[in-house]
Amino acid sequence: MESRIVSSVPVFHSFLLELIEARLAIGLNDHSKTDIMRVAEELRTAGIIAGVQDLCDQLANQEITHPLWQRVIQVATIGETYFFRDRSQMDVLKHSTLPHLIQNRQDTGLKRLRIWSAGCSTGEEPYSIAIMLRDLVPDIKNWDIHILATDLNKNYLERAKRGLYRSWSFRSETPPTCQQQWFVKAEGGYQIDVSIREMVTFAPLNLADEMYTVFNHPVMQMDIILCRNVLIYFDRFTVSNIIKRFHGALNETGWLVLGHSESSHMTSQPFQVHNFDGAVHYQKQRPPECPTRATTPVMNNEPVSKPRLLAARLAQKHDPVVPAAERVTAPSRVPTDKLDPWTLAHYAANREDWEEALHWLNEAEQENVMRPEIHYLRGVIELQRDEIEKSLMSLRRAIYCKNDFVLAHFTVGEIFEKLGHLKKAASHWTHAHQILDCLSPDQFIEHSDKLTVEMLKTVLEYRLENLSAAPQRHL
Ligand SMILES: C[S@@+](CC[C@H](N)C(=O)[O-])C[C@H]1O[C@@H](n2cnc3c(N)ncnc32)[C@H](O)[C@@H]1O
């Protein structure tokens, strides 16, 4: 029998799942989706939330360390791991990367190592590195060694800190000496030696966040970053950004170690590829200086206009109900260095110079990745280029940055309708309509030129009406 929450307002169910996917940058499988709806029902029954809509509101306004997020994360993440997982990679670390690094540090007299296990789950990976270092560095007491281990899931981190493991954490790849030397049998499993436990610092961190800080300090100057079997859950855009951030967190010659299936993301990244027997490790390379773009538009000193309503223009292509926005032509005399990247992106988009616009959007994003209009404009451009999946991701990012970004909801609805996902389209359009309900009818919609709240409401009502008139099988 369906639980009450499953049969309640379904538009918020898909919104909840999309919110979780966007914030954690992961793709949820059907199993996780069912689990999340079960958790929502449990929370409602316990009186912690009023319903799915309330859960969406609360999650949208909270950090991932908040208990509600953690309840969701418990069922959304997979923590499969064990000691010395992927022997060939561990062997390369033990016999090549780490010995060279240690030798180099000894030669320079700077006995310091910084290693980060990103997505450490219950701690088997960082503890494996600590055990390795105990074997490799005889005078370890004279060294300044920090192993940072981070994960989204606080429950995993708590288990990691306890250091109590069941036999499932020791598999065939785990060297038998590991358990014999560094664990004692205890009630409920095997307890890790305190000297190993003390080498690792555990902290929560969402890899999808734009900045990596732990205890309010930026994560930087790392010698090695291990991020294995984590990126598989993310889309390419997110992976590319995570790898850029890893690049920034490494020191000049630092190493990045990914899981086997994750190496496909490393093409065109500023890392040198080192092929070892059965494993690939990546070493940081400084990116070449960014050349000035020859195609930079020349601007005049007209005042910069508001970003125009690309969505309306887009919608107009398909449906005359949305009024056209006036075309804004790029002025032509102010030097481009007087204008910010967002404005340049906007002008380029108005000229339909998509390449140029995307270039400036990337620049704008470097300045502030949380500006929703950047993701929105990118989404609209991608839609123009028929890059539907990319567009959906960008628009979802816009919504993640600004939950009430009405044009982003509207455009996502447009895409879903065209894809035949009518329930999802209805969900986004209903949400957009609810946002507009709180605004005055003659107010202009943010990021549009000439579209008022009333006009967009009319469009949405028309769209929703058409949907409900659609044949039942499509809904
Ligand atoms: C399969 S485990 C991998 C553990 C370990 N790296 C290994 O290879 O054995 C994946 C881990 O990534 C974590 N994870 C998933 N999404 C994350 C995110 N956005 N930020 C940080 N950690 C994340 C999960 O909680 C989980 O513990």
Side-chain angles (χ1 to χ4, degrees):
M1 197 179 73
E2 269 194 338
S3 61
R4 277 181 59 190
I5 208 149
V6 172
S7 57
S8 66
V9 196
V11 287
F12 293 111
H13 298 176
S14 56
F15 186 67
L16 172 67
L17 299 171
E18 282 170 24
L19 173 74
I20 293 166
E21 287 186 327
R23 184 76 168 265
L24 307 183
I26 55 178
L28 295 167
N29 59 28
D30 286 348
H31 187 67
S32 304
K33 286 179 184 173
T34 309
D35 282 348
I36 288 167
M37 296 322 296
R38 180 181 46 75
V39 165
E41 173 61 4
E42 282 167 13
L43 291 168
R44 192 195 61 79
T45 313
I48 297 168
I49 57 163
V52 177
Q53 186 180 359
D54 179 33
L55 181 59
C56 292
D57 290 344
Q58 295 207 47
L59 291 180
N61 292 311
Q62 294 294 349
E63 297 293 318
I64 56 119
T65 46
H66 187 274
L68 275 181
W69 264 115
Q70 286 298 319
R71 280 292 289 275
V72 168
I73 286 168
Q74 304 312 323
V75 292
T77 52
I78 298 160
E80 165 77 2
T81 185
Y82 52 90
F83 287 99
F84 289 84
R85 182 180 192 174
D86 194 337
R87 194 64 186 273
S88 50
Q89 279 195 341
M90 286 292 173
D91 282 348
V92 172
L93 278 170
K94 182 161 185 183
H95 300 297
S96 176
T97 316
L98 279 171
H100 282 113
L101 193 56
I102 292 164
Q103 186 62 54
N104 175 282
R105 291 295 149 85
Q106 257 161 353
D107 293 347
T108 57
L110 183 70
K111 292 184 168 183
R112 205 186 77 172
L113 289 176
R114 299 275 181 272
I115 297 169
W116 177 19
S117 164
C120 66
S121 184
T122 39
E124 286 86 335
E125 182 178 86
Y127 283 142
S128 300
I129 301 295
I131 289 170
M132 226 182 252
L133 287 173
R134 285 297 298 257
D135 287 343
L136 289 169
V137 188
D139 62 335
I140 200 160
K141 286 206 163 59
N142 302 329
W143 282 66
D144 170 18
I145 296 181
H146 280 263
I147 303 174
L148 172 68
T150 62
D151 202 279
L152 195 61
N153 188 325
K154 277 171 78 178
N155 187 27
Y156 291 161
L157 294 174
E158 289 308 319
R159 281 163 56 189
K161 281 186 214 167
R162 274 201 297 280
L164 183 66
Y165 293 94
R166 291 168 197 257
S167 46
W168 191 232
S169 291
F170 307 90
R171 311 257 179 108
S172 59
E173 287 193 307
T174 314
T177 50
C178 160
Q179 201 188 55
Q180 291 152 11
Q181 224 177 329
W182 299 109
F183 292 81
V184 289
K185 187 100 185 67
E187 203 185 321
Y190 298 87
Q191 181 67 52
I192 201 161
D193 193 275
V194 68
S195 67
I196 300 294
R197 206 177 61 193
E198 284 175 355
M199 288 175 72
V200 184
T201 304
F202 291 96
L205 186 143
N206 180 4
L207 289 168
D209 281 350
E210 73 195 91
M211 289 214 292
Y212 294 156
T213 51
V214 164
F215 309 128
N216 290 333
H217 292 290
V219 180
M220 58 198 290
Q221 289 300 320
M222 290 291 158
D223 294 303
I224 302 177
I225 299 176
L226 293 111
C227 184
R228 304 184 309 154
N229 310 301
V230 180
L231 303 179
I232 33 173
Y233 303 108
F234 304 148
D235 64 89
R236 293 195 83 81
F237 177 91
T238 309
V239 171
S240 164
N241 280 339
I242 290 175
I243 289 171
K244 276 184 202 140
R245 288 193 285 269
F246 283 159
H247 191 273
L250 284 166
N251 66 27
E252 295 284 281
T253 52
W255 291 85
L256 177 61
V257 182
L258 302 177
H260 277 303
S261 55
E262 291 153 324
S263 298
S264 61
H265 297 293
M266 291 302 287
T267 50
S268 80
Q269 296 288 346
F271 284 88
Q272 199 182 339
V273 183
H274 292 260
N275 277 297
F276 298 92
D277 194 14
V280 181
H281 288 189
Y282 301 92
Q283 193 169 25
K284 180 164 167 173
Q285 258 181 354
R286 260 183 265 174
E289 288 293 303
C290 202
T292 325
R293 283 174 68 89
T295 52
T296 300
V298 185
M299 303 289 177
N300 74 11
N301 55 1
E302 281 176 32
V304 174
S305 78
K306 279 189 284 174
R308 63 196 286 265
L309 175 61
L310 277 160
R313 185 150 64 83
L314 187 78
Q316 191 204 15
K317 272 173 110 179
H318 305 290
D319 193 326
V321 178
V322 178
E326 267 182 17
R327 190 160 182 77
V328 178
T329 44
S332 63
R333 247 171 288 126
V334 177
T336 53
D337 59 2
K338 298 274 187 296
L339 297 172
D340 65 286
W342 159 248
T343 307
L344 291 166
H346 170 218
Y347 281 143
N350 288 336
R351 290 195 312 278
E352 302 198 359
D353 185 345
W354 307 135
E355 285 303 326
E356 184 74 30
L358 289 172
H359 164 77
W360 289 117
L361 284 178
N362 288 341
E363 297 285 309
E365 199 181 310
Q366 298 288 321
E367 286 177 11
N368 183 359
V369 75
M370 293 306 284
R371 276 181 76 174
E373 63 269 30
I374 294 174
H375 302 294
Y376 171 68
L377 181 53
R378 181 181 284 119
V380 171
I381 292 171
E382 286 160 347
L383 196 51
Q384 288 282 13
R385 290 153 57 115
D386 278 334
E387 296 168 343
I388 305 296
E389 274 182 32
K390 276 186 177 182
S391 172
L392 262 181
M393 284 309 298
S394 300
L395 294 165
R396 281 173 168 159
R397 271 188 198 100
I399 292 170
Y400 164 55
C401 296
K402 192 173 186 301
N403 186 16
D404 62 353
F405 198 142
V406 73
L407 287 178
H409 282 289
F410 174 76
T411 314
V412 170
E414 287 274 291
I415 295 175
F416 280 137
E417 193 230 23
K418 298 223 163 12
L419 293 174
H421 301 315
L422 303 192
K423 276 186 182 173
K424 288 185 176 180
S427 159
H428 281 277
W429 287 341
T430 307
H431 195 72
H433 200 279
Q434 283 165 347
I435 298 165
L436 295 177
D437 276 341
C438 308
L439 304 175
S440 116
D442 53 355
Q443 188 178 331
F444 285 119
I445 307 277
E446 209 181 353
H447 304 299
S448 79
D449 260 357
K450 294 260 167 78
L451 194 68
T452 64
V453 167
E454 194 175 17
M455 286 155 95
L456 188 55
K457 270 176 105 169
T458 313
V459 173
L460 286 164
E461 278 152 20
Y462 173 81
R463 287 280 211 277
L464 283 163
E465 224 175 277
N466 275 355
L467 277 190
S468 51
Q472 205 55 36
R473 66 195 158 81
H474 285 147
L475 280 167

